[in-house]
Amino acid sequence: MGPVHHDLAGEPTFEPMIQIDMEIKAFVSAWKHCDYVSTYMARMISQNRSDSVHHANLFSSAFNELLEVAFRTRHAEGELACRVSRHGATDRIELTFPCVPEERQYYEEAVSQVAGTEARERYLNSVSGDLAPSREVVLLELAVDYNATLWIEQAEGDAIKLVVDLPLEGLQH
């Protein structure tokens, strides 16, 4: 394994692997686009993992869930950008998509809940039917089932950037 590179803030450097950009209008025109994009990206980034089929299956499943969150945007104009980078065992997904201000507030609150200590309990309550199903359940699932770390970064214009670190190498699912 080579040297670990860090940016100026001391964070590890994630090396870009692949990016797909498309108009949000084209993306939301068919539900199957979530599956197509997640499957393609998973196959592209998994070829050099110790168990490439296992990694591709996990990545595709997690990424598909994240794409479904973007699929539900109420903003009809703009671009969807999906970028995957890697550092060691962790794949970083940066998903940028248009959203209205109310959605941005929703995502900010949902991501703060995912990072909380009650994330597992909230997730179990969500899937058991005690809470109404929502996009938050997808984010909770990523954090609980895939050991993902999620946050929001600033994006230009009427867009949001969800960032998800997925430490899938060696994860048993």
Side-chain angles (χ1 to χ4, degrees):
M1 188 155 138
V4 175
H5 300 285
H6 295 274
D7 66 16
L8 296 176
E11 293 293 317
T13 302
F14 281 75
E15 298 297 327
M17 297 185 68
I18 188 169
Q19 180 166 334
I20 294 177
D21 299 339
M22 64 190 310
E23 288 296 318
I24 194 71
K25 190 179 289 187
F27 176 70
V28 300
S29 69
W31 183 257
K32 63 186 173 191
H33 292 152
C34 296
D35 181 52
Y36 292 162
V37 171
S38 63
T39 300
Y40 176 77
M41 298 282 271
R43 287 181 179 168
M44 291 289 98
I45 66 145
S46 297
Q47 83 284 351
N48 64 347
R49 289 302 197 185
S50 60
D51 184 344
S52 61
V53 173
H54 180 71
H55 186 271
N57 286 337
L58 287 175
F59 185 89
S60 179
S61 177
F63 192 38
N64 187 61
E65 294 293 326
L66 194 58
L67 287 171
E68 289 176 9
V69 168
F71 185 86
R72 292 182 174 91
T73 187
R74 295 182 308 209
H75 205 297
E77 298 297 323
E79 191 171 274
L80 172 77
C82 310
R83 179 180 181 164
V84 179
S85 304
R86 178 173 291 159
H87 175 74
T90 302
D91 295 320
R92 174 171 289 171
I93 300 169
E94 297 172 71
L95 185 64
T96 306
F97 58 95
C99 76
V100 296
E102 298 81 30
E103 282 181 315
R104 177 184 303 278
Q105 182 178 359
Y106 169 82
Y107 287 119
E108 289 170 351
E109 291 172 11
V111 167
S112 72
Q113 296 294 322
V114 167
T117 56
E118 302 88 28
R120 178 172 288 289
E121 182 179 335
R122 291 178 60 79
Y123 175 63
L124 293 175
N125 286 338
S126 297
V127 296
S128 70
D130 293 346
L131 297 175
S134 70
R135 290 175 282 187
E136 179 188 16
V137 173
V138 171
L139 302 177
L140 285 166
E141 177 184 17
L142 291 171
V144 173
D145 285 349
Y146 295 93
N147 198 28
T149 304
L150 298 89
W151 68 94
I152 295 174
E153 289 185 357
Q154 191 65 29
E156 294 180 17
D158 292 332
I160 190 167
K161 181 191 281 187
L162 289 175
V163 183
V164 180
D165 280 357
L166 289 169
L168 298 178
E169 183 71 3
L171 180 68
Q172 299 300 312
H173 206 258

